[in-house]
Amino acid sequence: MTPAQERGQRPIHVGNCSGFYGDRASAMADMARAGGIDVLTGDYLAEVTMLILGKARAKDGTKGYATTFLQHLDPALDHLVANGIRLVVNAGGLNPAGLADATRALIAGRGYDLQVSHIGGDDVFGRLDELQQAGHTLPQLTTGEPLSSWPHRPLTANAYLGGFGIARALARGADIVITGRVADAALVVGPAVWWWNWAPDDYDALAGAVAAGHVIECGPQATGGNFSGFRTIADLVQPGFPIAEIDADGSSVITKNAGTGGAVTPDTVTAQLLYEIGEPAYLNSDVIAHLDTAELTDLGDDRVQIRGVRGSAPPATTKVAITGVGGWENSMILALTGTDLDAKAALVQRFVHREIEAADGLDAVAITRIGQARRDPDSQNAGTALLQIAVQGTKEAAGRAFSSRMVELALSSYPGLYTLGPPQPGSAFGVYWPALLDQRMLDHRVHHHDGTTEIIAPGTPHDVGVEGTPPVELFPAPAVRTPWTDEPLVIASLGEIVHARSGDKGGDANLGVWVRDREAWQWLQSTLTVDELRRLLPETRELTISRYELPKLGAVNFLIRGMLGSGATSTLRLDSQAKALGEWLRARSTKVPRALLNTSGAHW
């Protein structure tokens, strides 16, 4: 039987071939050639991507979509056709219709007759004034302040759509579905809805598909990429891309193609489940997926089952990602070598702060020490640390003028000064406003391949939190002391006991931490409090931190408010997307029970 004939008779197999705009160019062709999947998805968008597309379109009227998609599709086309694989991507960016037309032209030029549909309605940029005049204030997701208080001019504004439009496009015979800004997991939810004919109130099934989609949306991160236990993963030079086999009840098996690199384990899946989620009630346009109800089972052979995910009615609002241009930024990196490094850095700092006070148009400065020089270094590099000076302001102040003033230090400052790279003119930086909008205000439409258009109604939302969702059963308190309570405490790196995954969520940093062994869960639960996190990560001491427990995953998740300022596109923090925050935490030393360093390695 063909995949279409098998629809609804077995789990749908959904693969992923792109986790971001710039992912492995060969992945689409590789996945299509391997076959064994019904639908191939590609995630090309992020808040940063929408800004990049918006700036390019505003500058020279370029297409507004991810042009690399066409480069990926061309070598994959023969295999997609031969294996009967449908394709769903959000590469349409700011112009899904334009990419759909370009895709049809490419297909026709190759002599194929494939049906291409696209999804519209996410782009609300042209409606911002109308919406605000109608009383929709587009409040900031965290602060609740209205968009009218934002001092920047919007460049793009795109609402996160759900997966039911994708499902309808597939049901009407689309071979390729191109979207703009849909929720990342919607790329998987849509095909699952089409395959199983789920209704909008099949909340548990939808939530299971959201969990599967969230795991595979970042491509090889589900197969060992960016995983804190990477040393246990064989052949990580080029890990395979993930596949989700989604059953009628929403349960799924995460896997990959045989013979590809990397691995699928409970830990690599947990890493993705915790990635950039905020609280465990993970909001999506179609459903709220309660990830603290997820249970993982290792089936062996790179197969991990996710089951038990509960869902509840979707929120009344959806996120609208609004981007703009905030000003000009520039930076320079100086080398500090040998002795008296603190004094050398302090001399530069005094110069820079004097410049800030005297200059007109410099609004922000960040001076960051990078690395630690060794004592008695046996090479020059070993005796060198770096000093980054980053500024923001007007183009006149933060552009060439800043670089020129820094160059003037070359002969008049500390001994051994040199820069890493020539002076730069700087560039415009983006600003980000995550807003909320009533889902009923969206014009979610499917533009079918036959020229007809279909309106997609929002799900049935509610405004009362997660009413009706069963409580998560925590592990019961032990009747006797756990094995480690009588053990002596020893100093060890936290990474010897836990894994971690971190990333950005707007201006906040998300940090998920989970135990490597089930015996350590109660220790982690009782020990890694908000106060302890602040002690371990001093940069967080003045920030608001929310802490959530996911006992079935042996995990705690932290949302660190404002760590990235107003967002990754504008922060002056060196790790602008908090990607390495978890690795910093794992490197910290703390007191741990000796017994937890000698566990048997039993997994969840």
Side-chain angles (χ1 to χ4, degrees):
M1 290 191 296
T2 66
Q5 293 171 326
E6 293 177 314
R7 178 184 163 209
Q9 304 299 312
R10 57 163 175 79
I12 181 175
H13 294 191
V14 183
N16 171 279
C17 65
S18 176
F20 72 105
Y21 190 11
D23 211 341
R24 192 183 310 163
S26 65
M28 185 183 294
D30 291 342
M31 292 290 284
R33 183 185 301 109
I37 52 177
D38 305 298
V39 178
L40 184 58
T41 65
D43 185 359
Y44 288 77
L45 300 183
E47 285 117 17
V48 174
T49 315
M50 303 305 280
L51 176 68
I52 292 170
L53 294 175
K55 287 169 65 175
R57 186 175 65 174
K59 180 180 179 180
D60 54 21
T62 51
K63 302 175 178 65
Y65 53 72
T67 54
T68 56
F69 166 73
L70 298 172
Q71 300 166 18
H72 299 165
L73 176 62
D74 194 22
L77 201 50
D78 292 340
H79 307 298
L80 291 170
V81 173
N83 290 318
I85 299 170
R86 302 197 189 200
L87 186 62
V88 179
V89 298
N90 61 13
L94 303 175
N95 186 10
L99 183 55
D101 287 341
T103 300
R104 293 185 187 101
L106 172 61
I107 292 170
R110 294 288 303 279
Y112 289 114
D113 182 22
L114 299 180
Q115 308 305 322
V116 181
S117 299
H118 71 276
I119 308 295
D122 64 295
D123 193 340
V124 297
F125 174 74
R127 299 175 55 203
L128 289 178
D129 290 341
E130 166 201 333
L131 288 168
Q132 291 177 92
Q133 291 170 6
H136 300 281
T137 63
L138 295 160
Q140 212 271 355
L141 190 61
T142 302
T143 67
E145 296 177 357
L147 177 61
S148 59
S149 67
W150 201 37
H152 306 288
R153 181 179 178 181
L155 180 65
T156 69
N158 295 80
Y160 283 62
L161 302 178
F164 276 83
I166 296 170
R168 288 300 305 151
L170 293 171
R172 288 279 296 273
D175 298 297
I176 298 177
V177 183
I178 293 171
T179 80
R181 180 71 278 185
V182 297
D184 295 343
L187 296 172
V188 173
V189 172
V193 169
W194 160 67
W195 189 267
W196 292 113
N197 198 29
W198 290 334
D201 60 355
D202 285 329
Y203 298 137
D204 289 348
L206 290 168
V210 165
H214 182 57
V215 169
I216 74 169
E217 71 191 35
C218 290
Q221 282 193 173
T223 61
N226 287 0
F227 172 46
S228 58
F230 72 99
R231 291 190 302 170
T232 66
I233 305 294
D235 191 15
L236 196 55
V237 173
Q238 187 162 295
F241 276 69
I243 297 170
E245 302 171 358
I246 305 171
D247 217 329
D249 61 354
S251 63
S252 64
V253 172
I254 307 300
T255 186
K256 67 181 185 69
N257 284 318
T260 58
V264 178
T265 72
D267 283 326
T268 66
V269 172
T270 297
Q272 280 306 110
L273 284 173
L274 295 177
Y275 186 53
E276 297 178 346
I277 62 169
E279 60 183 286
Y282 187 51
L283 306 184
N284 267 254
S285 306
D286 298 316
V287 68
I288 299 174
H290 300 277
L291 299 181
D292 47 1
T293 62
E295 298 180 39
L296 305 184
T297 303
D298 188 356
L299 304 179
D301 297 323
D302 294 310
R303 295 176 64 81
V304 174
Q305 183 185 59
I306 306 174
R307 59 185 175 86
V309 182
R310 300 302 303 270
S312 57
T317 56
T318 190
K319 184 167 75 171
V320 180
I322 303 175
T323 70
V325 177
W328 206 258
E329 65 183 3
N330 205 347
S331 66
M332 184 170 285
I333 297 179
L334 309 180
L336 305 168
T337 306
T339 60
D340 304 317
L341 298 195
D342 290 343
K344 291 172 181 175
L347 181 59
V348 173
Q349 290 172 346
R350 289 197 297 273
F351 172 83
V352 171
H353 285 299
R354 188 187 70 177
E355 290 298 306
I356 294 292
E357 293 174 0
D360 182 19
L362 287 180
D363 305 322
V365 61
I367 301 176
T368 307
R369 285 275 288 272
I370 308 169
Q372 184 70 41
R374 296 180 192 169
R375 288 182 177 273
D376 190 23
D378 58 3
S379 70
Q380 182 173 329
N381 286 350
T384 301
L386 303 178
L387 189 71
Q388 183 197 54
I389 301 96
V391 296
Q392 290 179 341
T394 64
K395 184 176 182 179
E396 292 73 23
R400 286 289 184 186
F402 162 76
S403 297
S404 297
R405 292 295 288 139
M406 293 303 301
V407 167
E408 291 175 5
L409 287 174
L411 304 181
S412 61
S413 190
Y414 64 82
L417 185 154
Y418 65 91
T419 66
L420 273 69
Q424 299 296 321
S427 60
F429 68 89
V431 287
Y432 175 57
W433 183 273
L436 293 174
L437 179 64
D438 189 326
Q439 293 209 57
R440 294 173 296 182
M441 294 299 103
L442 298 179
D443 186 24
H444 187 177
R445 290 174 179 256
V446 184
H447 298 274
H448 291 294
H449 58 86
D450 61 4
T452 61
T453 299
E454 181 178 355
I455 297 174
I456 305 299
T460 305
H462 61 68
D463 298 295
V464 290
V466 294
E467 181 181 75
T469 300
V472 178
E473 182 182 352
L474 303 182
F475 288 123
V480 296
R481 289 186 174 184
T482 50
W484 50 263
T485 52
D486 293 324
E487 284 285 324
L489 298 178
V490 297
I491 300 297
S493 295
L494 197 56
E496 294 186 52
I497 295 179
V498 303
H499 288 299
R501 172 66 61 80
S502 58
D504 62 312
K505 200 163 181 66
D508 303 333
N510 189 87
L511 172 58
V513 184
W514 70 102
V515 294
R516 297 160 64 123
D517 187 283
R518 71 175 71 227
E519 297 296 331
W521 163 241
Q522 289 175 347
W523 175 82
L524 178 71
Q525 182 187 37
S526 62
T527 302
L528 195 54
T529 62
V530 168
D531 287 343
E532 177 66 0
L533 186 73
R534 289 196 173 106
R535 185 189 72 81
L536 292 168
L537 305 182
E539 291 180 21
T540 69
R541 283 177 179 167
E542 305 301 319
L543 302 175
T544 299
I545 302 175
S546 299
R547 179 184 184 273
Y548 307 99
E549 293 185 3
L550 296 88
K552 293 187 176 183
L553 298 177
V556 290
N557 196 60
F558 297 95
L559 194 62
I560 305 169
R561 309 281 183 178
M563 190 169 195
L564 305 178
S566 60
T569 57
S570 58
T571 182
L572 289 177
R573 193 173 184 275
L574 190 64
D575 181 11
S576 62
Q577 293 181 286
K579 298 293 187 184
L581 186 64
E583 289 304 287
W584 176 27
L585 177 67
R586 294 180 69 249
R588 294 287 281 149
S589 294
T590 189
K591 294 180 179 179
V592 303
R594 186 188 302 276
L596 297 185
L597 299 177
N598 298 288
T599 52
S600 62
H603 294 290
W604 293 87

